[in-house]
Amino acid sequence: MGKVYEILTKISLVINTIADWFLIIAGLLLICWSLLSVDVTEAKYLLIGAGAILSASGFWFRRLSLKKRAKMHDDNPGQGK
């Protein structure tokens, strides 16, 4: 049962990492798109704000994931990464 838990934990970490980077990249792309393609000033600022929120949430979740991973590693120093 321990091996299954380890495998599921690793899969969960991979999915979390992909989701975090997706948020970061989507936010940055939204910012770039709004700066390059949108002509209406109010809409441009709204899209820049939405992109900033997406990117910031991606960075926030990424930081939490790294903290959790470091804590898990500190709790079990004999275990692998």
Side-chain angles (χ1 to χ4, degrees), residues 26-46:
L28 293 175
L29 286 175
L30 188 59
I31 291 171
C32 291
W33 175 69
S34 65
L35 288 173
L36 297 175
S37 298
V38 178
D39 294 329
V40 179
T41 305
E42 292 83 9
K44 182 182 289 192
Y45 289 136
L46 182 66

Side-chain angles (χ1 to χ4, degrees), residues 10 31 33 35 42 49 52 61 64 69 72:
K10 288 181 183 182
I31 291 171
W33 175 69
L35 288 173
E42 292 83 9
F61 288 128
L64 289 178
R69 188 177 298 179
M72 285 174 39

Side-chain angles (χ1 to χ4, degrees), residues 5-6 69-81:
Y5 179 76
E6 288 179 25
R69 188 177 298 179
K71 185 178 184 231
M72 285 174 39
H73 183 65
D74 290 342
D75 289 344
N76 299 321
Q79 300 293 323
K81 291 182 183 178

